[in-house]
Amino acid sequence: MTVHHDRRIAAPVGRGSVRRQLRSRFRRSMRLVALGAAIPGAGLIRTRARTAGWLIFTVFFAGLAALAYLLASRGVKDFGLYVLSHPDLLQVAGVLLAAGGLIWCGSIVATAVAARPEWLDRSRTRILALFTTLLVALVGTGTYKGAEAALITKDTIAEVFSAQPLRPGEGAKVVDEPNADPWRDTPRVNLLLMGSDAGIGRVGTRPDSMIVASIDTRTGRTVLISIPRNFEWAPLPADSPLRELWPEGTYGGSHDAPNCPRKAADSADPCAINAIWAEVDQFREKHPDAYPEDDVPGRTETRNVVGEVLGLKIDHLVVIDLKGFTELVNAMGGVEVNVKLGGFDGKTPLPYGQKHADGSYAHYFDKLGPQVLNGYEALWYARTRAADSDDHRQQRQRCVVQAVVNHVDPAFMLTKYASIAQILKENVYTDIPGQNLPAFSELVERVQKAKITSLGFSAKNGFPYSSNPDYELVRSLVKKAIDPPKPTSKPKPTTTKTRSTPTPTPTETADVDECA
C-alpha cells in the first residue's frame, strides 16, 4: 500500500513541478535580463557569472559616484560648461560611452545565456531571445547616440572656438584658478557683435549691424553701442594696409577732400564703415601679400576700424549670419521683446514676401507690447527699416540683443547643446577661446542681474550720415556712457530776457531704457 501510494502521488507531482519550475525560471531569466539592462552587471550577479557581474556593477557605480561628486562640488551648469569647453574631455567622454555601451550590451547577452533554464521549450527560448535583443538595441542606441553627440560637440567646439589672436596679448584675460573670480584681472570686456547679410567669409560681405557690448566685469553693467553702418570717413588703424590707398588715415579721404573710387563708380556705394570688409577683400586681390596671416582680413579690419571709431579696445568678435540668428532664437524657444510702433508712429513691417502695389509690405507687427518672438520675427523686427530709418532700426537691434541676453539660460542651453552646436558651426564665427566659455557664462549671468543701457548715434543728435561725423565727440560720448559721472545737484534755473533759437548740440544718453 505504501509503495502504491507513493507512485500515485509522485507521478503527477513530478510533471507539474517541472512545468512550474520552467515557468518560474523563465520569468526569473526575463527579470534578470531586464535588471541587467537597467543597471549594468546587476543581472549577472544572480547567475554563475557573478564575479563578472560584480566587476561591471562596481565600475558602473564608482563612475556614478565620481560624477555625482563632481556635480555636487562644481554644480551641474558649471560642470557641464567645463566639459563642453574642453574638447579633450569630450573625446574621453565619447570613448568611455562607446566602450561602456559595448560592455553593457555584452553583459545583457551574457545574463540571458547564464540565466536561461535548461530544457526551455522553443517558444520561450524565442521570447527570451527577442526580449534580450530589444533591450540590447535600446541600450546600444542610447550609448551610441551619447558617444556620437560627445564627439560631434567636441569637433564643433574645437572648430568654432579655435580662433587664435593675430597678435599676442589680444583678447580678454581670464583667470583660471580654483575658486577665483575669472575676471579678477579684467575690469572691462568689449565685444563686437556683427550681423552679416552674407555667408561668413564670402567676398562682398557687409555687416548688417554692428553693436559693441561694453561690459563692466565686476558689476555686469553693460552699454550697447550701435555703430551706424553708413558712418563715412572712418579712421584707419596706424598699421592698416588700407593706408596705402588713404595715407591720411581716413577711409575714403576726408570731408574736404573725398577720395572714394567706390562712390565714383556707384553713387549708392560710398566708402562707409560697413564697406570695409568688401574693400579689404578687393584690396587683397590686387595685393596678395597684404594681411599674410589672416584668412578673413575684412572681418579683422572691420573690427579694428570699429575700435578706432569708438576709442575702445575690442577684446572679442562674434559674427552671426541671418540664418544662424533665426535658428539660434528658435533653439532658445524665442525671445521676449517689447514691440513698439515704428519710428514715425506707424506699424513696423514684418516681411512675408508679400507686398502691395506701391511696394509697401503687406504684413506688420499688429500686436504691441511685450511678446515672445520666434527667430523669423525677431530677425525682421531688428532688420526692418521700411517704415522709418536706420536710426530706429539700430534702436530695435539693441533691444533685440538685450532681449537675447536677458533670455539666455546657460543651464537650458546645455540641454540644447547638440542643435546649438550645429548652428554655431555653420553660421557663427567668434574668436572667444573654448576654455573661456565658463568665464563668459558667468559674465552673462552678471549682465542679466545688472543694468543694460544703450548708446546710439543718430541724425537727431548731430550725427547725420551725409555729413562728416565728429569722431572725437563719438569717443567722448562713449567714454561718458561706460564710465558715467556721479550725479550732482542740479543748478537753479535762470531766466533770459530775450527769446532766441538755440543751436542744437550733439548729445546722447546711455541711461534711458529705450526697450521698456
Short mmCIF file of all heavy atoms in Angstrom, two decimals, residues 330-333 410-423:
data_model
loop_
_atom_site.label_atom_id
_atom_site.label_comp_id
_atom_site.label_asym_id
_atom_site.label_seq_id
_atom_site.Cartn_x
_atom_site.Cartn_y
_atom_site.Cartn_z
N ASN A 330 15.19 80.42 -32.37
CA ASN A 330 14.23 79.32 -32.31
C ASN A 330 14.69 78.25 -31.33
O ASN A 330 13.88 77.68 -30.59
CB ASN A 330 14.06 78.71 -33.71
CG ASN A 330 13.21 79.58 -34.62
OD1 ASN A 330 12.39 80.37 -34.15
ND2 ASN A 330 13.41 79.45 -35.92
N ALA A 331 16.00 77.96 -31.30
CA ALA A 331 16.52 76.95 -30.37
C ALA A 331 16.35 77.40 -28.93
O ALA A 331 16.20 76.58 -28.02
CB ALA A 331 17.99 76.68 -30.66
N MET A 332 16.35 78.73 -28.71
CA MET A 332 16.16 79.26 -27.36
C MET A 332 14.69 79.28 -26.96
O MET A 332 14.36 79.63 -25.83
CB MET A 332 16.71 80.69 -27.29
CG MET A 332 18.22 80.78 -27.47
SD MET A 332 18.78 82.50 -27.68
CE MET A 332 18.23 83.22 -26.12
N GLY A 333 13.81 78.92 -27.89
CA GLY A 333 12.38 78.97 -27.60
C GLY A 333 11.79 80.35 -27.80
O GLY A 333 10.71 80.64 -27.29
N PRO A 410 22.15 79.53 -19.42
CA PRO A 410 23.20 78.55 -19.72
C PRO A 410 22.79 77.11 -19.41
O PRO A 410 23.15 76.20 -20.15
CB PRO A 410 24.37 79.00 -18.83
CG PRO A 410 24.16 80.48 -18.67
CD PRO A 410 22.67 80.65 -18.61
N ALA A 411 22.07 76.91 -18.32
CA ALA A 411 21.65 75.55 -17.97
C ALA A 411 20.70 74.98 -19.03
O ALA A 411 20.81 73.82 -19.44
CB ALA A 411 20.99 75.54 -16.59
N PHE A 412 19.75 75.82 -19.50
CA PHE A 412 18.82 75.37 -20.54
C PHE A 412 19.56 75.14 -21.85
O PHE A 412 19.28 74.19 -22.58
CB PHE A 412 17.71 76.41 -20.72
CG PHE A 412 16.80 76.11 -21.89
CD1 PHE A 412 15.82 75.14 -21.79
CD2 PHE A 412 16.93 76.79 -23.10
CE1 PHE A 412 14.98 74.86 -22.86
CE2 PHE A 412 16.11 76.53 -24.17
CZ PHE A 412 15.12 75.55 -24.05
N MET A 413 20.51 76.02 -22.16
CA MET A 413 21.25 75.88 -23.41
C MET A 413 22.04 74.58 -23.44
O MET A 413 22.26 74.01 -24.51
CB MET A 413 22.19 77.07 -23.60
CG MET A 413 21.49 78.42 -23.64
SD MET A 413 20.41 78.64 -25.06
CE MET A 413 21.56 79.31 -26.25
N LEU A 414 22.47 74.11 -22.27
CA LEU A 414 23.18 72.83 -22.22
C LEU A 414 22.30 71.69 -22.70
O LEU A 414 22.77 70.75 -23.33
CB LEU A 414 23.67 72.55 -20.80
CG LEU A 414 24.93 73.28 -20.35
CD1 LEU A 414 25.20 73.01 -18.88
CD2 LEU A 414 26.12 72.88 -21.19
N THR A 415 20.99 71.77 -22.41
CA THR A 415 20.08 70.71 -22.84
C THR A 415 19.87 70.75 -24.35
O THR A 415 19.41 69.78 -24.93
CB THR A 415 18.71 70.83 -22.14
OG1 THR A 415 18.06 72.05 -22.55
CG2 THR A 415 18.89 70.86 -20.63
N LYS A 416 20.20 71.86 -24.98
CA LYS A 416 20.01 72.03 -26.42
C LYS A 416 21.36 72.06 -27.15
O LYS A 416 21.44 72.52 -28.28
CB LYS A 416 19.26 73.35 -26.69
CG LYS A 416 17.85 73.39 -26.16
CD LYS A 416 16.90 72.71 -27.12
CE LYS A 416 15.46 72.93 -26.73
NZ LYS A 416 14.52 72.35 -27.72
N TYR A 417 22.40 71.60 -26.45
CA TYR A 417 23.74 71.85 -26.98
C TYR A 417 23.98 71.20 -28.33
O TYR A 417 24.75 71.72 -29.14
CB TYR A 417 24.80 71.39 -25.97
CG TYR A 417 25.03 69.91 -25.92
CD1 TYR A 417 25.98 69.30 -26.72
CD2 TYR A 417 24.29 69.11 -25.07
CE1 TYR A 417 26.20 67.93 -26.66
CE2 TYR A 417 24.49 67.76 -25.00
CZ TYR A 417 25.45 67.16 -25.81
OH TYR A 417 25.65 65.82 -25.75
N ALA A 418 23.33 70.07 -28.62
CA ALA A 418 23.57 69.40 -29.89
C ALA A 418 23.12 70.26 -31.06
O ALA A 418 23.86 70.48 -32.02
CB ALA A 418 22.87 68.04 -29.91
N SER A 419 21.88 70.76 -30.98
CA SER A 419 21.37 71.60 -32.07
C SER A 419 22.06 72.95 -32.10
O SER A 419 22.36 73.48 -33.17
CB SER A 419 19.85 71.79 -31.92
OG SER A 419 19.53 72.38 -30.67
N ILE A 420 22.34 73.51 -30.93
CA ILE A 420 23.01 74.82 -30.88
C ILE A 420 24.43 74.69 -31.42
O ILE A 420 24.92 75.59 -32.13
CB ILE A 420 23.01 75.37 -29.46
CG1 ILE A 420 21.57 75.75 -29.05
CG2 ILE A 420 23.93 76.57 -29.32
CD1 ILE A 420 21.43 76.19 -27.62
N ALA A 421 25.10 73.59 -31.12
CA ALA A 421 26.46 73.38 -31.62
C ALA A 421 26.47 73.37 -33.14
O ALA A 421 27.37 73.93 -33.78
CB ALA A 421 27.03 72.08 -31.07
N GLN A 422 25.46 72.74 -33.75
CA GLN A 422 25.40 72.70 -35.21
C GLN A 422 25.15 74.09 -35.78
O GLN A 422 25.73 74.46 -36.81
CB GLN A 422 24.29 71.74 -35.65
CG GLN A 422 24.31 71.39 -37.12
CD GLN A 422 25.56 70.63 -37.52
OE1 GLN A 422 26.15 69.92 -36.70
NE2 GLN A 422 25.99 70.77 -38.76
N ILE A 423 24.31 74.87 -35.11
CA ILE A 423 24.04 76.25 -35.55
C ILE A 423 25.32 77.07 -35.50
O ILE A 423 25.65 77.81 -36.43
CB ILE A 423 22.95 76.89 -34.68
CG1 ILE A 423 21.61 76.16 -34.88
CG2 ILE A 423 22.80 78.38 -35.01
CD1 ILE A 423 20.54 76.58 -33.89
#
